[in-house]
Amino acid sequence: MSLTLYVDGARFRAHLRSVVDRHPGIVPVAKGNGYGLSNARLALEAQTLGIDTLAVGTYDEVDQVASLFTGDLLVLTPWRPFGTAVEAGPDPRVIHTIGRVEDLTGLLTRDPEARVVLERMTSMLRHGFTARDLRSTAEVLAAHPGARLEGVSMHLPMGGASHVTEMHRLMTDVVAAGLDTHTVWVSHLSDAELAGLRAAYPDFTFRPRIGTDLWLGDRAALRVRATVLDSHHVERGDTFGYRSRTAPKSGTILVVGGGTAHGIGLEAPTGAATVKARAATLARGGLDAAGFVRSPYSIDGKQRLFAEPPHMQASMLFVPSGAKVPAVGDEVDVRVRFTATTFDRVVFS
Ligand SMILES: *Cc1c(COP(=O)(O)O)cnc(C)c1O
């Protein structure tokens, strides 16, 4: 009834299938809010895709997918000797990411048969081993013969310059570490970069971890709509809202579903309003001169302004006279950041 994500099921699944077919060894990523779709839903989709491994972000997320996806579960956040990672206990389906020598020892002391992926630090500087520390893991692994090394992992920055030079440098470190694995788990490489790596290191298997381009790669399969909950005609000077503001001219205060609890933000996510553009609207005496801020809701073909900042579960928009006003119960389009939005409903056709 409020903020709904409509998914064109056939189109969404055709896209998933095409990404999976083009990326052998793909590891779909289900984490956070499940890219707007929920991790449980992603686990179900992953199960039907027939892939062998699903990645989750944290140890706390394992339970969200474990009963819905029957394959292996790679946890992307590196293991640490505290919290859920330790409390959960050994699980043969879980593949741990390790980024520090003491954590490799710590995990293998608790679970001598643990499955591990060793993360090599990249220019991201988030987690992982230096080249030298990666070399010393070989010794630790030799001392724990039950340990199962599932590969080396690299998390690269998004987009920007080519990753090729950095990947070759990191691959040199992997080869030099003399580890007993030929699997490299990677992220954010273009198809061309992946193909180049596979050609340059034919004895290695590269496994791309993909979230956004998989689940959200075909935006036309997704539509976000909010229900119109109420509609009030106002004349210039009429007061409204929590802050008793006054309408700058005649129009409609439209109450729509979706607020801060859903992650609806003050400004449209891709709003390109520069300081200069804003100054220009101000000079023209536009509505934002009245303190109104752009909303992500579209009505009658235009992105509308918030009449006041979003409330917890609803938002008040100002629609000036002349525009076609939707009726209570109608739905209007909303632009959202899927990874930061909680929907009331996700409806698959
Ligand atoms: C989130 C994440 C990914 C997937 O990122 P997308 O941009 O959503 O494809 C891959 N690897 C790691 C380590 C991640 O944390």
Side-chain angles (χ1 to χ4, degrees):
M1 263 284 283
S2 284
L3 190 69
T4 308
L5 169 58
Y6 291 100
V7 184
D8 176 339
R11 185 168 178 150
F12 177 73
R13 294 193 179 109
H15 170 74
L16 298 188
R17 177 47 59 197
S18 81
V19 175
V20 168
D21 289 347
R22 274 185 288 120
H23 296 92
I26 187 174
V27 182
V29 175
K31 66 182 180 186
N33 70 341
Y35 293 80
L37 293 145
S38 86
N39 290 328
R41 162 66 70 170
L42 300 187
L44 285 170
E45 298 293 334
Q47 183 67 26
T48 67
L49 287 171
I51 45 121
D52 63 5
T53 309
L54 178 67
V56 294
T58 64
Y59 284 92
D60 294 294
E61 288 167 345
V62 169
D63 280 351
Q64 297 173 15
V65 303
S67 63
L68 305 169
F69 176 79
T70 54
D72 292 337
L73 300 170
L74 169 70
V75 181
L76 298 174
T77 302
W79 186 90
R80 292 285 188 257
F82 44 73
T84 312
V86 172
E87 289 154 19
D91 182 341
R93 285 170 65 200
V94 169
I95 302 175
H96 305 270
T97 298
I98 302 288
R100 306 186 304 174
V101 178
E102 63 265 43
D103 291 338
L104 185 59
T105 314
L107 172 60
L108 293 174
T109 305
R110 288 171 171 83
D111 178 8
E113 287 170 15
R115 303 169 71 186
V116 296
V117 163
L118 306 176
E119 180 150 337
R120 170 71 178 94
M121 173 82 81
T122 69
S123 58
M124 280 268 294
L125 273 198
R126 193 157 84 174
H127 304 297
F129 293 102
T130 60
R132 185 208 276 171
D133 282 349
L134 190 64
R135 283 197 297 277
S136 59
T137 60
E139 256 170 66
V140 178
L141 288 168
H144 292 87
R148 290 190 280 161
L149 176 60
E150 304 279 352
V152 175
S153 159
M154 293 159 192
H155 189 42
L156 294 152
M158 283 198 240
S162 156
H163 297 112
V164 172
T165 315
E166 177 169 13
M167 272 305 297
H168 282 298
R169 193 167 48 73
L170 297 170
M171 282 303 294
T172 306
D173 300 339
V174 171
V175 173
L179 295 163
D180 185 18
T181 182
H182 282 90
T183 302
V184 180
W185 310 64
V186 293
S187 58
H188 300 146
L189 291 177
S190 69
D191 291 358
E193 288 170 340
L194 254 181
L197 277 171
R198 286 179 170 137
Y201 303 93
D203 48 341
F204 277 84
T205 302
F206 291 90
R207 304 206 59 177
R209 295 173 303 234
I210 307 179
T212 308
D213 289 347
L214 179 66
W215 312 118
L216 304 176
D218 183 2
R219 291 299 166 103
L222 310 169
R223 190 165 188 199
V224 180
R225 313 210 79 202
T227 314
V228 174
L229 303 170
D230 228 327
S231 172
H232 313 288
H233 178 78
V234 286
E235 292 296 340
R236 181 192 161 111
D238 285 352
T239 56
F240 64 87
Y242 277 129
R243 291 164 187 82
S244 299
R245 304 173 71 175
T246 52
K249 56 183 184 178
S250 79
T252 303
I253 297 288
L254 206 65
V255 186
V256 292
T260 53
H262 301 88
I264 294 290
L266 255 187
E267 260 181 293
T270 53
T274 60
V275 173
K276 205 172 150 197
R278 250 180 237 160
T281 0
L282 223 77
R284 283 200 307 275
L287 279 172
D288 35 2
F292 287 0
V293 172
R294 221 145 89 97
S295 86
Y297 296 84
S298 287
I299 291 160
D300 195 17
K302 260 203 186 143
Q303 218 170 323
R304 297 298 168 178
L305 301 173
F306 280 120
E308 72 171 357
H311 303 168
M312 193 155 169
Q313 292 181 305
S315 293
M316 295 178 97
L317 309 178
F318 182 78
V319 185
S321 290
K324 191 166 170 285
V325 179
V328 170
D330 284 356
E331 287 188 316
V332 299
D333 285 316
V334 197
R335 217 158 64 176
V336 300
R337 266 179 72 188
F338 288 91
T339 51
T341 307
T342 308
F343 298 99
D344 295 310
R345 295 190 308 160
V346 179
V347 178
F348 271 70
S349 63

